[in-house]
Amino acid sequence: MNVRRSAAVLAAVAVIGAATPAAADPSPSPSRAFPSALYGGTDPKFDGVWRQSLALLAQDTVGVKPAAKSVQWLARQQCADGGFASYRPDPTTACDAKTMLDTNATSAAVQALTALGGHEDVTRKAVGWLKSVQNKDGGWGYSPGGASDTNSTSIVIGALAAAGEKPDQVVKDGKSPYDALLKLALPCGGDDDGAFAFQPDKKGDLAPNADATAAGVLGSLGKGMLVEPGKKSDVTCEKAATPQQAAANGAGYLTAALAKDGDHLMSALAGAEPQPDFGNTADAVVALAARGDTAQAEKSVRWLEKNSASWAAQSGPAAYAQLIFAAHATGTNPRDFGGADLVKQLNATGPAPQTAEKTKAADEKEDSGSDFFGVWWYVGVCLVAGIGIGFLFTGRKKKQQP
Protein backbone atom coordinates (compact mmCIF):
# COMPACT_ATOMS: atom_id res chain seq x y z
CA MET A 1 0.00 0.00 0.00
CA ASN A 2 3.75 0.03 1.64
CA VAL A 3 2.44 3.96 0.97
CA ARG A 4 1.65 4.31 2.30
CA ARG A 5 3.48 4.39 5.61
CA SER A 6 6.28 1.99 4.66
CA ALA A 7 9.00 0.36 6.68
CA ALA A 8 11.61 2.45 4.92
CA VAL A 9 9.79 5.62 5.88
CA LEU A 10 9.12 4.66 9.45
CA ALA A 11 12.71 3.60 9.88
CA ALA A 12 13.61 7.25 9.47
CA VAL A 13 11.73 8.00 12.67
CA ALA A 14 13.03 4.89 14.45
CA VAL A 15 9.80 3.00 14.03
CA ILE A 16 10.40 -0.46 12.62
CA GLY A 17 7.98 -2.87 11.00
CA ALA A 18 6.41 -1.35 7.90
CA ALA A 19 3.77 0.99 9.12
CA THR A 20 3.85 -0.07 12.73
CA PRO A 21 6.06 0.62 15.74
CA ALA A 22 8.56 -2.09 16.54
CA ALA A 23 7.38 -2.49 20.10
CA ALA A 24 3.66 -2.09 19.61
CA ASP A 25 1.54 -3.68 22.30
CA PRO A 26 -1.05 -5.96 20.67
CA SER A 27 -3.29 -5.67 23.73
CA PRO A 28 -4.12 -2.04 24.55
CA SER A 29 -3.96 -1.26 28.23
CA PRO A 30 -7.08 0.22 29.80
CA SER A 31 -4.88 2.63 31.73
CA ARG A 32 -3.11 4.10 28.72
CA ALA A 33 -3.57 7.78 28.01
CA PHE A 34 -4.54 7.22 24.39
CA PRO A 35 -8.12 7.31 23.08
CA SER A 36 -10.12 4.21 23.90
CA ALA A 37 -11.38 4.08 20.30
CA LEU A 38 -7.85 3.70 18.94
CA TYR A 39 -6.29 0.44 17.82
CA GLY A 40 -2.84 -0.38 19.16
CA GLY A 41 -1.20 0.41 22.47
CA THR A 42 1.78 2.57 21.51
CA ASP A 43 2.13 6.32 21.08
CA PRO A 44 0.03 7.22 18.02
CA LYS A 45 1.89 10.45 17.31
CA PHE A 46 3.35 9.26 14.02
CA ASP A 47 0.87 6.60 12.90
CA GLY A 48 -2.46 6.93 14.71
CA VAL A 49 -4.59 7.62 11.64
CA TRP A 50 -2.55 5.20 9.56
CA ARG A 51 -2.90 2.17 11.81
CA GLN A 52 -6.54 2.93 12.55
CA SER A 53 -7.30 3.10 8.83
CA LEU A 54 -5.57 -0.19 8.09
CA ALA A 55 -7.26 -1.91 11.02
CA LEU A 56 -10.74 -0.79 9.97
CA LEU A 57 -10.15 -1.61 6.31
CA ALA A 58 -8.90 -5.08 7.22
CA GLN A 59 -11.90 -5.71 9.47
CA ASP A 60 -14.28 -4.68 6.71
CA THR A 61 -12.43 -6.94 4.28
CA VAL A 62 -13.17 -10.04 6.38
CA GLY A 63 -16.77 -9.15 7.15
CA VAL A 64 -16.23 -7.69 10.60
CA LYS A 65 -18.20 -4.56 11.48
CA PRO A 66 -15.86 -2.28 13.45
CA ALA A 67 -16.81 -0.56 16.68
CA ALA A 68 -18.77 2.58 15.87
CA LYS A 69 -16.58 4.72 18.11
CA SER A 70 -13.45 3.60 16.28
CA VAL A 71 -14.88 4.64 12.93
CA GLN A 72 -16.09 7.93 14.40
CA TRP A 73 -12.64 8.59 15.88
CA LEU A 74 -11.07 8.22 12.46
CA ALA A 75 -13.58 10.50 10.73
CA ARG A 76 -13.14 13.17 13.42
CA GLN A 77 -9.40 13.28 12.84
CA GLN A 78 -10.04 15.22 9.63
CA CYS A 79 -9.20 18.91 9.52
CA ALA A 80 -11.65 21.46 8.16
CA ASP A 81 -9.78 21.72 4.85
CA GLY A 82 -10.11 17.96 4.27
CA GLY A 83 -6.61 16.78 5.14
CA PHE A 84 -5.59 14.45 7.95
CA ALA A 85 -2.59 14.74 10.23
CA SER A 86 -0.80 11.64 11.46
CA TYR A 87 -2.58 12.10 14.78
CA ARG A 88 -4.58 14.83 16.50
CA PRO A 89 -4.78 14.30 20.27
CA ASP A 90 -7.73 16.67 20.57
CA PRO A 91 -9.92 16.70 17.45
CA THR A 92 -12.15 19.37 19.01
CA THR A 93 -9.30 21.84 18.58
CA ALA A 94 -9.29 23.33 15.10
CA CYS A 95 -6.33 22.64 12.84
CA ASP A 96 -4.09 25.60 12.14
CA ALA A 97 -0.92 26.43 10.23
CA LYS A 98 1.11 24.38 12.70
CA THR A 99 -0.89 21.19 12.06
CA MET A 100 1.32 18.94 9.97
CA LEU A 101 -0.99 17.38 7.40
CA ASP A 102 -0.06 14.04 5.91
CA THR A 103 -0.91 12.74 2.42
CA ASN A 104 -0.34 9.14 3.47
CA ALA A 105 -2.67 9.30 6.49
CA THR A 106 -5.26 11.14 4.41
CA SER A 107 -5.11 8.52 1.65
CA ALA A 108 -5.35 5.61 4.07
CA ALA A 109 -8.36 7.20 5.76
CA VAL A 110 -10.05 7.68 2.39
CA GLN A 111 -9.60 4.01 1.53
CA ALA A 112 -10.93 2.82 4.89
CA LEU A 113 -13.89 5.19 5.13
CA THR A 114 -14.88 4.60 1.51
CA ALA A 115 -14.95 0.85 2.11
CA LEU A 116 -17.00 1.25 5.29
CA GLY A 117 -19.47 3.58 3.59
CA GLY A 118 -21.54 6.41 4.99
CA HIS A 119 -18.74 8.98 5.06
CA GLU A 120 -19.04 10.57 1.63
CA ASP A 121 -18.64 14.12 2.97
CA VAL A 122 -15.40 13.19 4.71
CA THR A 123 -13.90 11.34 1.76
CA ARG A 124 -14.98 13.99 -0.75
CA LYS A 125 -13.25 16.72 1.26
CA ALA A 126 -10.17 14.54 1.69
CA VAL A 127 -9.92 13.90 -2.05
CA GLY A 128 -10.33 17.60 -2.68
CA TRP A 129 -7.47 18.34 -0.32
CA LEU A 130 -5.24 15.75 -1.97
CA LYS A 131 -5.89 17.32 -5.36
CA SER A 132 -5.09 20.76 -3.96
CA VAL A 133 -1.61 19.69 -2.82
CA GLN A 134 -0.60 17.75 -5.94
CA ASN A 135 2.90 18.63 -7.14
CA LYS A 136 3.66 20.03 -10.57
CA ASP A 137 5.21 16.73 -11.64
CA GLY A 138 1.86 15.03 -10.96
CA GLY A 139 2.92 13.28 -7.77
CA TRP A 140 2.81 13.80 -4.03
CA GLY A 141 5.27 13.88 -1.17
CA TYR A 142 4.53 12.85 2.38
CA SER A 143 3.83 16.45 3.39
CA PRO A 144 2.21 19.11 1.19
CA GLY A 145 4.90 20.70 -0.95
CA GLY A 146 7.41 17.94 -0.31
CA ALA A 147 9.20 16.32 -3.24
CA SER A 148 7.17 13.56 -4.86
CA ASP A 149 8.02 10.02 -3.80
CA THR A 150 6.84 6.66 -5.06
CA ASN A 151 5.16 5.57 -1.83
CA SER A 152 3.13 8.72 -1.29
CA THR A 153 2.15 9.06 -4.94
CA SER A 154 1.04 5.44 -5.04
CA ILE A 155 -1.12 5.54 -1.94
CA VAL A 156 -2.79 8.71 -3.17
CA ILE A 157 -3.56 6.90 -6.43
CA GLY A 158 -5.16 4.14 -4.35
CA ALA A 159 -7.28 6.68 -2.50
CA LEU A 160 -8.38 8.39 -5.69
CA ALA A 161 -9.36 5.08 -7.26
CA ALA A 162 -11.23 3.95 -4.13
CA ALA A 163 -13.19 7.20 -4.13
CA GLY A 164 -14.25 6.72 -7.75
CA GLU A 165 -11.79 9.14 -9.32
CA LYS A 166 -9.75 8.40 -12.43
CA PRO A 167 -6.13 8.96 -11.36
CA ASP A 168 -4.92 9.61 -14.91
CA GLN A 169 -7.31 12.55 -15.07
CA VAL A 170 -6.06 14.14 -11.83
CA VAL A 171 -3.44 16.43 -13.30
CA LYS A 172 -1.33 19.41 -12.31
CA ASP A 173 0.36 21.42 -15.04
CA GLY A 174 -0.54 18.67 -17.48
CA LYS A 175 1.10 15.93 -15.39
CA SER A 176 -0.73 12.98 -13.85
CA PRO A 177 0.38 10.75 -10.95
CA TYR A 178 1.47 8.17 -13.50
CA ASP A 179 3.89 10.66 -15.04
CA ALA A 180 5.49 11.07 -11.62
CA LEU A 181 5.80 7.31 -11.12
CA LEU A 182 7.37 6.73 -14.51
CA LYS A 183 10.12 9.18 -13.61
CA LEU A 184 10.85 7.18 -10.47
CA ALA A 185 11.17 3.83 -12.28
CA LEU A 186 14.66 2.51 -12.94
CA PRO A 187 15.45 1.64 -16.55
CA CYS A 188 16.03 -1.90 -17.77
CA GLY A 189 19.50 -3.24 -18.43
CA GLY A 190 21.05 -3.63 -14.99
CA ASP A 191 20.89 -5.79 -11.87
CA ASP A 192 18.09 -3.63 -10.49
CA ASP A 193 16.16 -3.08 -13.68
CA GLY A 194 12.45 -2.60 -13.21
CA ALA A 195 12.64 -1.38 -9.61
CA PHE A 196 11.24 1.89 -8.34
CA ALA A 197 13.22 4.36 -6.29
CA PHE A 198 11.71 6.12 -3.30
CA GLN A 199 13.02 9.49 -4.54
CA PRO A 200 16.01 10.60 -6.60
CA ASP A 201 19.11 11.22 -4.50
CA LYS A 202 20.83 14.60 -4.31
CA LYS A 203 22.50 13.94 -7.65
CA GLY A 204 19.24 12.96 -9.27
CA ASP A 205 20.14 9.27 -9.42
CA LEU A 206 17.65 6.51 -8.69
CA ALA A 207 18.41 3.71 -6.23
CA PRO A 208 16.24 0.57 -6.13
CA ASN A 209 13.97 0.22 -3.14
CA ALA A 210 11.87 -2.90 -2.63
CA ASP A 211 9.34 -1.14 -0.46
CA ALA A 212 8.90 1.64 -2.99
CA THR A 213 8.69 -0.97 -5.75
CA ALA A 214 5.81 -2.78 -4.06
CA ALA A 215 4.03 0.55 -3.71
CA GLY A 216 4.92 1.57 -7.26
CA VAL A 217 3.53 -1.62 -8.78
CA LEU A 218 0.18 -1.05 -7.07
CA GLY A 219 0.17 2.63 -7.93
CA SER A 220 1.00 1.94 -11.57
CA LEU A 221 -1.90 -0.51 -11.69
CA GLY A 222 -4.19 2.12 -10.20
CA LYS A 223 -4.86 -0.01 -7.11
CA GLY A 224 -5.00 0.51 -3.37
CA MET A 225 -4.21 -1.73 -0.41
CA LEU A 226 -7.00 -4.21 -1.02
CA VAL A 227 -6.69 -6.25 -4.22
CA GLU A 228 -7.98 -9.35 -5.93
CA PRO A 229 -5.71 -11.60 -8.03
CA GLY A 230 -5.02 -9.99 -11.38
CA LYS A 231 -4.41 -11.38 -14.83
CA LYS A 232 -0.74 -11.74 -15.61
CA SER A 233 0.71 -10.65 -18.92
CA ASP A 234 4.07 -12.28 -19.54
CA VAL A 235 6.47 -9.53 -20.49
CA THR A 236 10.14 -8.91 -20.04
CA CYS A 237 11.67 -5.73 -18.72
CA GLU A 238 11.25 -3.04 -21.32
CA LYS A 239 11.32 0.72 -21.33
CA ALA A 240 8.51 1.88 -19.05
CA ALA A 241 6.57 4.06 -21.44
CA THR A 242 3.27 3.19 -19.76
CA PRO A 243 2.19 2.58 -16.14
CA GLN A 244 1.33 -1.00 -17.04
CA GLN A 245 4.86 -1.66 -18.29
CA ALA A 246 6.31 -0.02 -15.19
CA ALA A 247 4.16 -2.33 -13.05
CA ALA A 248 5.34 -5.37 -15.01
CA ASN A 249 8.96 -4.30 -14.64
CA GLY A 250 8.52 -3.71 -10.92
CA ALA A 251 6.86 -7.09 -10.45
CA GLY A 252 9.85 -8.74 -12.13
CA TYR A 253 12.19 -6.99 -9.72
CA LEU A 254 10.12 -8.04 -6.70
CA THR A 255 9.94 -11.65 -7.86
CA ALA A 256 13.71 -11.82 -8.15
CA ALA A 257 14.26 -10.06 -4.83
CA LEU A 258 11.90 -12.38 -2.99
CA ALA A 259 13.34 -15.53 -4.51
CA LYS A 260 16.89 -14.43 -3.75
CA ASP A 261 16.42 -14.51 0.02
CA GLY A 262 14.11 -17.48 0.36
CA ASP A 263 10.76 -16.01 -0.68
CA HIS A 264 10.97 -12.94 1.53
CA LEU A 265 12.57 -9.52 1.54
CA MET A 266 15.36 -8.41 3.85
CA SER A 267 15.73 -5.08 5.59
CA ALA A 268 19.02 -3.26 5.40
CA LEU A 269 18.92 -0.42 7.90
CA ALA A 270 22.13 1.53 8.28
CA GLY A 271 24.36 0.08 10.96
CA ALA A 272 22.18 -2.97 11.55
CA GLU A 273 22.43 -6.58 10.48
CA PRO A 274 20.03 -7.47 7.66
CA GLN A 275 16.93 -9.24 8.90
CA PRO A 276 13.68 -10.49 7.38
CA ASP A 277 11.34 -7.67 6.46
CA PHE A 278 7.88 -9.05 7.13
CA GLY A 279 5.88 -5.91 6.36
CA ASN A 280 7.44 -5.27 3.01
CA THR A 281 7.18 -8.96 2.13
CA ALA A 282 3.43 -8.74 2.78
CA ASP A 283 3.23 -5.64 0.61
CA ALA A 284 5.16 -7.39 -2.15
CA VAL A 285 2.70 -10.30 -2.03
CA VAL A 286 -0.19 -7.87 -2.53
CA ALA A 287 1.59 -6.13 -5.40
CA LEU A 288 2.43 -9.39 -7.19
CA ALA A 289 -1.06 -10.77 -6.71
CA ALA A 290 -2.60 -7.60 -8.09
CA ARG A 291 -0.69 -8.13 -11.33
CA GLY A 292 -1.34 -11.85 -11.42
CA ASP A 293 2.16 -13.04 -10.56
CA THR A 294 0.70 -15.95 -8.64
CA ALA A 295 3.64 -18.32 -8.32
CA GLN A 296 5.88 -16.07 -6.23
CA ALA A 297 2.97 -14.53 -4.36
CA GLU A 298 1.92 -18.03 -3.27
CA LYS A 299 5.42 -18.94 -2.11
CA SER A 300 5.88 -15.72 -0.17
CA VAL A 301 2.51 -15.85 1.58
CA ARG A 302 3.36 -19.38 2.71
CA TRP A 303 6.63 -18.05 4.11
CA LEU A 304 4.67 -15.38 5.99
CA GLU A 305 2.34 -18.03 7.39
CA LYS A 306 5.31 -19.85 8.88
CA ASN A 307 7.38 -16.91 10.08
CA SER A 308 5.38 -13.73 10.75
CA ALA A 309 3.59 -14.52 14.01
CA SER A 310 6.12 -12.97 16.39
CA TRP A 311 6.55 -9.89 14.22
CA ALA A 312 2.81 -9.29 14.02
CA ALA A 313 2.31 -9.77 17.77
CA GLN A 314 5.06 -7.27 18.47
CA SER A 315 4.06 -4.77 15.82
CA GLY A 316 0.32 -4.55 16.36
CA PRO A 317 -2.78 -3.65 14.33
CA ALA A 318 -1.26 -2.41 11.09
CA ALA A 319 0.90 -5.53 10.88
CA TYR A 320 -2.12 -7.79 11.30
CA ALA A 321 -3.88 -5.72 8.66
CA GLN A 322 -1.00 -6.11 6.22
CA LEU A 323 -1.09 -9.87 6.66
CA ILE A 324 -4.85 -9.90 6.15
CA PHE A 325 -4.43 -7.93 2.92
CA ALA A 326 -1.80 -10.43 1.75
CA ALA A 327 -4.07 -13.33 2.68
CA HIS A 328 -7.01 -11.76 0.86
CA ALA A 329 -4.95 -11.09 -2.25
CA THR A 330 -3.90 -14.74 -2.50
CA GLY A 331 -7.13 -16.42 -1.42
CA THR A 332 -5.63 -17.55 1.88
CA ASN A 333 -7.87 -17.94 4.92
CA PRO A 334 -6.93 -15.15 7.38
CA ARG A 335 -8.60 -17.09 10.18
CA ASP A 336 -6.19 -19.97 9.66
CA PHE A 337 -2.98 -18.23 8.71
CA GLY A 338 -0.29 -20.71 9.61
CA GLY A 339 -2.57 -21.82 12.43
CA ALA A 340 -3.23 -18.26 13.63
CA ASP A 341 -6.51 -16.35 13.48
CA LEU A 342 -5.40 -12.97 12.18
CA VAL A 343 -8.91 -11.56 12.48
CA LYS A 344 -9.19 -12.45 16.17
CA GLN A 345 -5.71 -11.10 16.82
CA LEU A 346 -6.47 -7.82 15.06
CA ASN A 347 -9.76 -7.40 16.89
CA ALA A 348 -7.94 -7.85 20.20
CA THR A 349 -5.78 -4.76 19.61
CA GLY A 350 -8.68 -2.35 20.02
CA PRO A 351 -12.35 -1.96 20.91
CA ALA A 352 -14.52 -4.99 20.39
CA PRO A 353 -16.17 -4.79 16.98
CA GLN A 354 -19.93 -4.54 16.64
CA THR A 355 -19.86 -8.02 15.17
CA ALA A 356 -17.05 -10.47 14.56
CA GLU A 357 -19.25 -12.75 12.53
CA LYS A 358 -18.26 -13.52 8.97
CA THR A 359 -20.50 -12.39 6.17
CA LYS A 360 -21.95 -14.98 3.83
CA ALA A 361 -19.58 -13.80 1.09
CA ALA A 362 -16.62 -14.17 3.43
CA ASP A 363 -17.74 -17.66 4.41
CA GLU A 364 -18.03 -18.70 0.78
CA LYS A 365 -14.60 -17.31 -0.03
CA GLU A 366 -12.91 -18.98 2.92
CA ASP A 367 -14.74 -22.30 2.44
CA SER A 368 -12.99 -22.55 -0.90
CA GLY A 369 -9.78 -23.24 1.05
CA SER A 370 -6.46 -21.51 1.35
CA ASP A 371 -5.03 -22.86 -1.89
CA PHE A 372 -4.32 -19.91 -4.13
CA PHE A 373 -5.21 -21.52 -7.42
CA GLY A 374 -8.34 -23.19 -6.01
CA VAL A 375 -9.66 -19.78 -5.04
CA TRP A 376 -8.50 -18.35 -8.36
CA TRP A 377 -10.67 -20.70 -10.40
CA TYR A 378 -13.47 -20.76 -7.87
CA VAL A 379 -14.16 -17.04 -8.04
CA GLY A 380 -13.21 -16.75 -11.70
CA VAL A 381 -11.27 -13.60 -11.07
CA CYS A 382 -9.54 -12.18 -14.10
CA LEU A 383 -9.29 -8.62 -12.96
CA VAL A 384 -6.53 -6.50 -11.59
CA ALA A 385 -8.17 -5.06 -8.54
CA GLY A 386 -7.09 -2.66 -5.86
CA ILE A 387 -2.39 -0.16 0.80
CA GLY A 388 -0.56 1.94 1.92
CA ILE A 389 0.98 0.37 3.48
CA GLY A 390 0.91 -1.56 3.86
CA PHE A 391 1.12 0.51 1.03
CA LEU A 392 2.31 -1.11 0.86
CA PHE A 393 1.84 0.17 0.70
CA THR A 394 3.55 -0.86 3.94
CA GLY A 395 5.16 2.39 3.68
CA ARG A 396 5.66 5.92 4.55
CA LYS A 397 7.96 8.89 4.50
CA LYS A 398 11.72 8.74 4.81
CA LYS A 399 11.97 12.01 6.64
CA GLN A 400 9.50 12.47 9.46
CA GLN A 401 7.94 15.86 9.61
CA PRO A 402 8.77 17.95 12.67
Side-chain angles (χ1 to χ4, degrees), residues 49 74-88 90-91 93-102 106 121-122 125-126 129:
V49 168
L74 178 60
R76 293 184 65 201
Q77 286 287 300
Q78 186 177 46
C79 294
D81 63 1
F84 284 73
S86 298
Y87 173 66
R88 294 172 59 205
D90 182 7
T93 301
C95 301
D96 56 26
K98 294 182 180 180
T99 304
M100 304 300 291
L101 299 180
D102 173 346
T106 301
D121 289 345
V122 175
K125 287 176 61 178
W129 179 80

Side-chain angles (χ1 to χ4, degrees), residues 283-301:
D283 289 342
V285 167
V286 174
L288 291 177
R291 214 192 73 83
D293 294 278
T294 59
Q296 187 58 59
E298 168 75 1
K299 292 177 182 178
S300 294
V301 82

Side-chain angles (χ1 to χ4, degrees), residues 57-70:
L57 180 58
Q59 287 181 323
D60 182 75
T61 299
V62 296
V64 171
K65 189 174 183 180
K69 68 177 183 179
S70 293

Side-chain angles (χ1 to χ4, degrees), residues 5 38 44-55 73-74 77-78 84-88 102 104-109 112 396:
R5 187 177 295 271
L38 184 65
K45 180 178 181 180
F46 297 122
D47 75 336
V49 168
W50 177 263
R51 76 194 194 206
Q52 190 84 345
S53 298
L54 267 66
W73 180 90
L74 178 60
Q77 286 287 300
Q78 186 177 46
F84 284 73
S86 298
Y87 173 66
R88 294 172 59 205
D102 173 346
N104 290 225
T106 301
S107 298
R396 295 196 75 173

